[in-house]
Amino acid sequence: AKGTFCLHPPGDMRPVCYDVCIALILIAEPPKQVINLVIHLGNPGLIAPPITYFLITLVIRLDRVEKEFRTVVENAGDAIFIHNRDGKIIEVNEAACKSLGYGRGELLALHASDVVAGFDPEMLSKHWGELIQGMAITLENEHRRNDGSTFPVEVSISLLDHGDEFNVLAVARDITKRKRDQKALHDSEEKYRKLVETSHDLIWSVDAEGRFTFVNQASIITHGYDPDEMVGKPFTDFMTAEQAKIDMAIFAKIKDGADFFDLESVHLKKDGSPVYLSFNAVVLRDDSGNVLGTTGTAKDITRRKLAEEQSRRHQEQLAHVTRVATMGEMATGLAHELNQPLAAITAYINGSLRHLKSEDPPSESIIEALEKASEQAIRAGNVIQHLRDFVRRKDSKSENVDINDAVKKAMQLIKADLDSNQVVLTLDLSQPPAAVVGDPILLQQVILNLARNSVDAMKSKDPGSGELTISTSAEDNSFSIGIKDNGPGIDPKHQEQLFDPYFSTKKSGLGLGLPICRSIINEHGGQIWYEPAPINGAAFHIRLPLSKTGYPAE
């Protein structure tokens, strides 16, 4: 530093001014050298005591700054290294010693390559242009401890310019925890990425306009499209126009205030076939409550829907069978009851005609009237017989029927009744399964009718105490079905009338259920009968001839 320095001695002495050139060697040099250098550059013979006092004060201050600086460095949490351009370590702080497990003297005897795992001697050369301009560079590498173990560090490197030489200042921060956290986050993200991508359910997101912003790989299964074929397109592109109107109306309501929703919809696959989906989603909003979109899952329920539709059609078939069977039984009963009086009427008319014709002269008008009455009586009988033949099933199937399977399907149809009445169902089915020849719908109808009768009979019991047991077994050339309950049973005085048409122990019964069951079993060449249960309740037994193969068709 060059300039003029003036002193004002006490008294009347005139000020003394000097042209001064002061050079200070900074903290790295001992303070006494500063004094020596200043005195050398100045004129020792002209230095007055105040100047000496100033220089001493300056040196004390510099010494205090040095101590403060060294205190900061020594107490820094990061490891600090200074080495020359060749990599020789010339200064370290306490944090550096602790991080590596060396003493200070041990570290100062080492080279940077002893500390840095995978040391690159060309590193400074690669970044020299940046460093020489006063810029700092940040790198990640690993430091090697005294015991040989390594740990990740983030190092900030800069140059210390001493005029005639450069030293390298490296500040290293242990980033083990950060790396561990990053790895945990990456593992978590990878885990959920795999979960999303391997899920069989469609995972999706749409924006506020209903355009897909994400779909997972399950789209190939559910829709037949690759994810990139769906992203960016409105969800309405993947359904019929009619369904799109319904879903867009729901989507509009969702945006009005719902936070989550679930619905069932029908989409179209790439080949045009329908896919039934059950959606479950949440609405995404910004801090102001504006809708950003929705995200959620969609489960393919096509199988369930088709099964429900098949079950519905099956129940309709059973209901039709019941109605037709009821009509057939009624027609049979009516034919049986009316044929006898009609036959008697015909006989009386024919007798009257013979008597009238034997008279002389015969009454032509009476004869004509009686002949017409006889014709109408015969016609009425034929009409009743034709009605009976018409309502009988002429299109019934004849195939190998797995009775165990028929029992299971019938129980699926009555499951709601079993659950609502808290009836415990036990199936004791023969193994291996055997088959009978007949109509599966009619045989299921028989099992269903008898099971429903048992459930109705057990409604008087305490909830949860009702028990229904259905068993099957094959013996010789026949197959047996047992349907047993622990209800009140049937009064012995009514047991002989159980299968009579129009007889019922129910207040609202038509008395045709059991007669229909008997007719169906008779048509299949089997037998049906009732027995009281061994302890209490009722037991119905069915015996049917086995199929010649003895086993259900594949």
Side-chain angles (χ1 to χ4, degrees):
K2 296 179 181 180
T4 302
F5 181 68
C6 295
L7 296 176
H8 296 270
D12 295 331
M13 296 179 64
R14 291 183 302 171
V16 180
C17 296
Y18 305 91
D19 289 329
V20 181
C21 177
I22 301 176
L24 301 180
I25 298 177
L26 295 180
I27 297 170
E29 298 293 338
K32 66 180 182 179
Q33 292 184 6
V34 176
I35 298 174
N36 292 338
L37 186 59
V38 171
I39 293 174
H40 176 74
L41 292 176
N43 188 344
L46 298 177
I47 294 179
I51 297 176
T52 304
Y53 172 79
F54 164 76
L55 293 174
I56 292 172
T57 302
L58 179 61
V59 169
I60 291 172
R61 288 180 178 177
L62 289 174
D63 182 54
R64 185 174 67 187
V65 170
E66 178 187 6
K67 288 179 180 178
E68 290 174 350
F69 176 76
R70 182 163 294 279
T71 299
V72 170
V73 169
E74 289 299 329
N75 289 280
D78 295 333
I80 297 176
F81 301 84
I82 298 176
H83 62 78
N84 60 23
R85 289 192 63 177
D86 294 331
K88 176 67 175 63
I89 298 175
I90 59 177
E91 188 61 84
V92 294
N93 68 345
E94 184 63 21
C97 297
K98 287 181 178 179
S99 68
L100 299 175
Y102 288 100
R104 178 182 176 83
E106 293 176 307
L107 266 181
L108 294 180
L110 298 178
H111 188 271
S113 60
D114 298 320
V115 173
V116 180
F119 177 76
D120 181 7
E122 301 298 323
M123 185 272 295
L124 287 179
S125 300
K126 294 175 183 177
H127 299 281
W128 190 256
E130 304 167 59
L131 293 170
I132 201 68
Q133 294 179 17
M135 300 172 63
I137 62 172
T138 302
L139 304 172
E140 286 189 8
N141 52 34
E142 291 188 341
H143 277 188
R144 184 183 298 107
R145 297 188 182 94
N146 191 14
D147 61 6
S149 63
T150 60
F151 61 98
V153 292
E154 181 183 75
V155 184
S156 177
I157 298 174
S158 57
L159 291 182
L160 297 176
D161 186 356
H162 296 300
D164 56 345
E165 65 175 339
F166 293 94
N167 286 334
V168 178
L169 172 65
V171 181
R173 173 167 295 176
D174 187 343
I175 57 173
T176 302
K177 183 178 183 303
R178 183 204 300 175
K179 288 291 185 180
R180 185 169 56 245
D181 292 344
Q182 287 176 345
K183 184 178 185 305
L185 178 60
H186 176 270
D187 291 346
S188 177
E189 290 176 346
E190 183 68 12
K191 173 184 175 182
Y192 285 105
R193 186 190 68 79
K194 288 182 178 178
L195 181 64
V196 167
E197 291 302 336
T198 58
S199 172
H200 287 181
D201 292 344
L202 182 70
I203 299 176
W204 54 272
S205 295
V206 300
D207 60 18
E209 303 304 319
R211 291 185 295 266
F212 281 113
T213 57
F214 171 80
V215 292
N216 65 342
Q217 291 292 323
S219 64
I220 299 173
I221 301 172
T222 59
H223 290 77
Y225 291 96
D226 287 327
D228 56 2
E229 292 182 279
M230 297 182 69
V231 171
K233 296 180 181 178
F235 66 80
T236 52
D237 284 3
F238 303 92
M239 58 182 63
T240 63
E242 182 180 358
Q243 187 67 43
K245 290 180 181 179
I246 297 172
D247 284 18
M248 281 303 293
I250 296 173
F251 191 61
K253 291 181 180 179
I254 290 167
K255 292 197 293 184
D256 285 342
D259 292 324
F260 60 90
F261 65 93
D262 55 83
L263 60 89
E264 292 184 0
S265 183
V266 185
H267 282 209
L268 294 177
K269 288 189 172 184
K270 195 172 186 177
D271 60 7
S273 61
V275 55
Y276 295 84
L277 298 170
S278 176
F279 286 88
N280 189 306
V282 295
V283 180
L284 305 177
R285 301 179 186 276
D286 61 19
D287 294 338
S288 301
N290 299 315
V291 174
L292 300 175
T294 58
T295 186
T297 62
K299 188 177 187 63
D300 186 346
I301 57 172
T302 303
R303 287 187 179 180
R304 192 192 83 192
K305 283 293 186 181
L306 294 178
E308 289 175 353
E309 178 62 21
Q310 184 178 11
S311 177
R312 184 188 64 79
R313 290 197 301 267
H314 190 60
Q315 291 193 45
E316 288 181 352
Q317 283 181 312
L318 289 174
H320 174 72
V321 166
T322 300
R323 289 193 298 269
V324 171
T326 300
M327 291 176 63
E329 202 64 32
M330 290 179 66
T332 300
L334 286 172
H336 177 73
E337 297 297 329
L338 294 179
N339 278 335
Q340 290 183 358
L342 286 172
I345 291 170
T346 302
Y348 284 126
I349 291 174
N350 290 335
S352 298
L353 284 172
R354 286 193 298 271
H355 182 70
L356 287 172
K357 288 178 180 179
S358 65
E359 293 182 355
D360 189 22
S363 175
E364 296 296 334
S365 60
I366 295 176
I367 291 173
E368 183 180 357
L370 290 174
E371 286 177 344
K372 289 181 178 180
S374 178
E375 290 174 2
Q376 292 303 313
I378 295 172
R379 183 172 178 271
N382 291 335
V383 168
I384 292 173
Q385 184 62 42
H386 291 160
L387 175 62
R388 180 184 178 185
D389 293 339
F390 174 76
V391 296
R392 283 184 173 179
R393 286 177 60 90
K394 296 298 182 182
D395 59 342
S396 61
K397 298 178 182 179
S398 183
E399 60 185 55
N400 278 352
V401 180
D402 182 350
I403 295 297
N404 288 352
D405 184 60
V407 169
K408 292 175 183 177
K409 288 181 177 178
M411 291 306 98
Q412 289 175 359
L413 297 174
I414 202 176
K415 186 178 185 303
D417 289 342
L418 293 171
D419 293 342
S420 62
N421 290 283
Q422 299 183 38
V423 173
V424 178
L425 172 65
T426 301
L427 297 181
D428 181 15
L429 306 180
S430 66
Q431 292 297 333
V436 300
V437 176
D439 187 322
I441 299 297
L442 289 176
L443 292 174
Q444 286 177 42
Q445 183 63 46
V446 171
I447 297 168
L448 190 61
N449 283 353
L450 296 175
R452 277 183 175 153
N453 285 346
S454 291
V455 173
D456 290 342
M458 291 185 286
K459 287 182 178 179
S460 59
K461 297 180 68 67
D462 294 334
S465 62
E467 296 178 4
L468 174 63
T469 302
I470 301 180
S471 59
T472 62
S473 61
E475 298 177 3
D476 298 328
N477 296 321
S478 64
F479 193 85
S480 297
I481 307 169
I483 299 174
K484 182 180 67 175
D485 63 62
N486 66 341
I490 297 174
D491 193 323
K493 67 181 181 181
H494 295 148
Q495 293 178 12
E496 295 295 328
Q497 301 171 277
L498 285 178
F499 295 97
D500 292 347
Y502 311 113
F503 173 80
S504 176
T505 58
K506 301 178 184 178
K507 292 181 179 179
S508 59
L510 292 176
L512 293 173
L514 290 177
I516 290 172
C517 291
R518 182 182 60 182
S519 295
I520 292 173
I521 295 301
N522 288 343
E523 287 179 10
H524 285 75
Q527 297 172 301
I528 181 171
W529 68 95
Y530 164 81
E531 290 179 358
I535 299 176
N536 55 19
F540 284 86
H541 299 275
I542 300 170
R543 184 180 291 119
L544 293 164
L546 275 174
S547 166
K548 290 182 179 180
T549 62
Y551 296 96
E554 293 294 335

